[in-house]
Amino acid sequence: MLKEADLNELGLPYSLDSETIHISGGLESFDIHGREFSHAVILENIRVPSGADALTFRDCAFRDITLKKIGAKAVTFVNCTITGTLYTYMGSFERISFRDCNIGELTIECAREGLNASLTSTKVNDTLLIRASAVARLELGTNASYCARLVLDRGSTLEELKVQCHVSYAKLPTLPRIRISDFGAIARLSVKSVSEKELRSMERDICRESAHSMNGSLRHFLSLLLSMYEEFEANKMFAESDVCLYMIRRVNIRIKKTARDKNKLRRAFNIAYCSLVQLVIEHCFGWGIRVINNVVTMLCMISAFAVSYFISALKTASGISPFICFETAVNRFFLGCVYDDPYQFFLYFDSLESIIGVIMLTVFTGVLVRKIIR
């Protein structure tokens, strides 16, 4: 239990009532340790000694603590327990970190632009809330770290989130760069919206890694996509869920392609197979999700056969019209046959184009029906 004599040792002005200890002014020491605060604590307009970069709380116990306008470059909590809420507001510090702490609820609001926040071997039992904050980088650390809920409101400008622990639920307004280590996981991830551009950017960042770590990072990225997909499906946000599903299939084949195998022949076959799948299933058919991929592929195939007909016709007939070649290609692609052909060379491609047309129309119909039903 903190006594008034203990407050006097801090060497700064304070006010004490039945509920709150209000501390302000200049600290004589920048390392406060072994204190147990039974009251709610408010530290405001705090100045640390010259030459001190950080204000450190070590082996302290708090009920609720509020930090306002702290003059240090960094605030550190080491082996501290906060049963209620830790709230930071308008801090001028650049870095806030927690090591071996146990926190009920943590709120960071209106922090200095570019603030870095990190939690190492720390448990947040309720909610980590970043509200209207310019936190640039948030690191949820290793070992026994745990976070029940991570929530960012609309005003947050988080650029990078590094997860090295278990997060039960995360709610983000937009998708920052998320890096998940081997020991990290986000069980449920809710994002207000997501774009393929953002997801592809994250994928490119992963693909810049070394070959040794790339496959593992892609697997963590896949688990993140699956979590987002399930959340979008549950909320009937089908446009966003389709984006996630497309990226899930894209990343899954990339994981198979980058899998390490000591057998060089088997690895070469695996790369060739995955490359073929990427070319045909992804680029041509859009993984059965995108209509535009199918439409573009059909137009390209029709144009290719039309050009082939025209080139062949130049060798066997004179005065052949490009329009007739294009019309023939369209008829064979969609109908599988043409009227009596005065040019026998058209018959050479009849079966091939008809087979390709049936396959592509079947896939296109399936994709279109799926879109209509959803």
Side-chain angles (χ1 to χ4, degrees):
M1 185 74 63
L2 187 74
K3 299 178 181 179
E4 199 162 339
D6 296 321
L7 290 170
N8 291 329
E9 290 181 13
L10 296 178
L12 47 79
Y14 69 90
S15 61
L16 175 63
D17 58 34
S18 60
E19 293 294 332
T20 306
I21 303 170
H22 194 119
I23 302 173
S24 63
L27 283 172
E28 292 181 358
S29 172
F30 56 88
D31 194 338
I32 300 172
H33 58 86
R35 307 293 183 182
E36 183 179 345
F37 296 85
S38 59
H39 294 67
V41 178
I42 299 176
L43 286 90
E44 184 174 10
N45 295 318
I46 298 298
R47 301 185 303 276
V48 298
S50 59
D53 290 333
L55 171 62
T56 303
F57 296 91
R58 195 184 308 274
D59 302 318
C60 293
F62 301 92
R63 191 186 74 184
D64 298 296
I65 178 170
T66 300
L67 305 177
K68 292 185 178 181
K69 300 180 181 178
I70 306 298
K73 290 184 179 180
V75 176
T76 303
F77 291 83
V78 180
N79 197 30
C80 292
T81 300
I82 303 169
T83 56
T85 300
L86 188 149
Y87 180 75
T88 69
Y89 178 72
M90 293 184 66
S92 61
F93 46 89
E94 302 172 358
R95 189 172 64 257
I96 182 168
S97 58
F98 302 86
R99 296 199 302 271
D100 303 303
C101 293
N102 195 326
I103 304 173
E105 183 174 337
L106 172 60
T107 300
I108 301 176
E109 180 175 358
C110 295
R112 171 175 175 163
E113 185 175 353
L115 174 72
N116 290 330
S118 65
L119 291 81
T120 305
S121 302
T122 294
K123 293 182 179 180
V124 180
N125 299 304
D126 191 350
T127 302
L128 168 54
L129 173 62
I130 299 180
R131 179 192 298 163
S133 176
V135 176
R137 187 173 184 271
L138 175 63
E139 182 176 347
L140 303 178
T142 56
N143 301 333
S145 295
Y146 170 77
C147 182
R149 285 168 53 87
L150 170 63
V151 179
L152 277 70
D153 75 355
R154 295 181 182 180
S156 299
T157 57
L158 186 65
E159 297 175 4
E160 183 177 355
L161 172 62
K162 188 175 182 180
V163 179
Q164 296 175 293
C165 67
H166 181 81
V167 179
S168 297
Y169 174 74
K171 183 178 181 181
L172 313 176
T174 56
L175 195 66
R177 293 194 304 271
I178 300 179
R179 304 301 303 275
I180 301 178
S181 73
D182 291 337
F183 303 101
I186 299 178
R188 287 180 57 207
L189 176 60
S190 174
V191 183
K192 184 178 180 181
S193 63
V194 68
S195 68
E196 187 178 334
K197 183 179 179 181
E198 292 173 325
L199 297 178
R200 281 181 179 265
S201 177
M202 293 176 65
E203 183 191 18
R204 282 195 298 271
D205 289 341
I206 292 172
C207 291
R208 293 191 186 102
E209 297 180 6
S210 64
H212 179 73
S213 62
M214 187 197 310
N215 191 267
S217 297
L218 285 172
R219 290 181 185 277
H220 294 309
F221 183 43
L222 180 62
S223 69
L224 197 69
L225 291 170
L226 288 168
S227 179
M228 284 192 291
Y229 172 74
E230 291 171 0
E231 197 70 23
F232 286 134
E233 282 286 303
N235 295 324
K236 299 187 183 303
M237 299 171 66
F238 296 125
E240 287 79 4
S241 68
D242 278 354
V243 170
C244 290
L245 183 58
Y246 180 86
M247 289 301 299
I248 285 169
R249 293 176 176 173
R250 174 184 169 89
V251 172
N252 192 45
I253 196 67
R254 189 178 285 272
I255 289 172
K256 293 178 180 178
K257 189 175 181 179
T258 57
R260 302 178 70 183
D261 195 329
K262 294 181 179 180
N263 189 312
K264 293 183 178 180
L265 181 62
R266 189 165 53 205
R267 174 165 171 72
F269 176 80
N270 181 63
I271 291 174
Y273 168 75
C274 291
S275 299
L276 182 63
V277 169
Q278 287 176 316
L279 174 64
V280 178
I281 309 300
E282 179 179 348
H283 297 298
C284 294
F285 296 123
W287 295 113
I289 299 169
R290 287 182 169 176
V291 175
I292 188 65
N293 287 55
N294 291 269
V295 172
V296 171
T297 303
M298 285 192 293
L299 290 175
C300 290
M301 293 303 299
I302 291 171
S303 300
F305 278 106
V307 170
S308 299
Y309 295 157
F310 183 71
I311 292 174
S312 299
L314 291 177
K315 298 179 180 179
T316 58
S318 59
I320 185 70
S321 170
F323 176 77
I324 294 177
C325 297
F326 184 77
E327 182 184 14
T328 303
V330 170
N331 287 333
R332 282 184 172 163
F333 191 89
F334 290 103
L335 303 177
C337 61
V338 296
Y339 46 82
D340 291 339
D341 183 8
Y343 308 105
Q344 294 300 314
F345 62 86
F346 282 157
L347 298 176
Y348 301 158
F349 301 95
D350 189 18
S351 299
L352 178 61
E353 186 178 4
S354 297
I355 292 171
I356 292 175
V358 168
I359 294 172
M360 297 209 66
L361 284 173
T362 302
V363 175
F364 176 74
T365 302
V367 175
L368 197 59
V369 168
R370 178 181 178 275
K371 288 286 186 183
I372 294 171
I373 291 175
R374 290 166 64 87

